[in-house]
Amino acid sequence: MKSKRSIAALWLLALLPLVLVAVCYTRLPDRVPMHWGIDGAVNRYGGKSELWLMGALGPVLALLLQFLPRLDPKKRNYERFHTYYEAAALVIMAFLAVVMGVVLVECFRPGTLSVGRVVSALAGLLFLFLGNLMGKVKPNFFLGIRTPWTISDPDVWNRTHRLGGGLFFLCGLATLASALLLPGAVTFWVLMGGVLTAALVPAAMSYLWYRKKTGP
């Protein structure tokens, strides 16, 4: 990441979940909800100390997002899409911070939120954003649909990511609509089916496009 403002915002968002846990920790119950089923009911409780592990995911991910581009053999390509890379990093970190907020609300006031519905809606918004972004990502080893065929050919990369971007956008739209209108169990399968389709179809097409271009 290049922009100092983006780096500062990245770390602010990365540390926010830990700050929230620290502020709330002494008032939290000893046992807190840690996992919800597709019906929205809590199916696992854990000790409140587990929230520290959940919060620590932010700083670890922030380190990776900040420094992995420097290790990428195709690091020069990041110059061509660094603005979009930084935007993606910030949105992902904001997603984690909001999820932590949802968990803490349920720790203090169980049943206030429909966690499955809220998280599914957030995932839908995330996929909408990433779908819009994907076609702008240039060849690299860490972000995007990285198959042997996309990495080997820039044209295959571009075609694959245009297709993947459209499918992830549709997945996000379907997931968001399902989260707002349909039962939680249906939304879960819409989300899973959408993610699998958006991931597997472009990967398969990258192989077919590469073979068509290079021959058997």
Side-chain angles (χ1 to χ4, degrees):
M1 298 182 70
K2 297 175 59 177
S3 167
K4 291 183 179 179
R5 288 185 178 181
S6 294
I7 293 172
L10 178 77
W11 281 99
L12 178 64
L13 291 169
L15 295 173
L16 181 57
L18 288 174
V19 172
L20 291 174
V21 173
V23 169
C24 299
Y25 195 75
T26 58
R27 294 180 288 123
L28 287 168
D30 291 334
R31 304 289 291 175
V32 296
M34 294 299 299
H35 193 271
W36 289 259
I38 61 175
D39 60 354
V42 179
N43 56 20
R44 189 178 81 82
Y45 286 87
K48 63 181 181 179
S49 59
E50 289 187 41
L51 292 175
W52 292 114
L53 295 176
M54 183 178 172
L57 178 63
V60 172
L61 187 57
L63 277 174
L64 293 175
L65 289 169
Q66 183 176 350
F67 292 109
L68 280 180
R70 302 184 187 184
L71 305 177
D72 196 325
K74 296 182 180 291
K75 59 185 177 183
R76 291 184 179 179
N77 281 348
Y78 285 84
E79 296 290 334
R80 301 163 61 191
F81 71 98
H82 72 89
T83 300
Y84 303 112
Y85 178 84
E86 291 175 0
L90 293 177
V91 168
I92 291 169
M93 299 309 301
F95 175 84
L96 294 178
V98 173
V99 169
M100 176 61 83
V102 170
V103 172
L104 289 174
V105 168
E106 285 300 293
C107 289
F108 287 114
R109 299 180 64 87
T112 301
L113 301 173
S114 175
V115 174
R117 194 177 295 275
V118 171
V119 173
S120 294
L122 290 172
L125 291 172
L126 179 62
F127 291 145
L128 284 171
F129 174 80
L130 294 178
N132 273 316
L133 200 71
M134 195 170 288
K136 302 175 178 68
V137 174
K138 302 306 177 184
N140 69 92
F141 281 91
F142 295 122
L143 181 67
I145 302 169
R146 302 170 308 282
T147 68
W149 313 290
T150 57
I151 293 294
S152 299
D153 189 288
D155 180 57
V156 173
W157 174 282
N158 290 331
R159 294 182 70 180
T160 300
H161 282 75
R162 284 195 294 269
L163 174 61
L167 289 175
F168 268 102
F169 184 88
L170 291 175
C171 172
L173 196 62
T175 300
L176 181 59
S178 180
L180 295 175
L181 301 173
L182 299 177
V186 176
T187 300
F188 174 81
W189 292 113
V190 169
L191 174 60
M192 291 297 101
V195 169
L196 287 174
T197 300
L200 295 179
V201 170
M205 290 304 300
S206 72
Y207 169 76
L208 295 176
W209 284 326
Y210 184 80
R211 289 296 299 270
K212 182 178 180 180
K213 186 173 183 179
T214 61

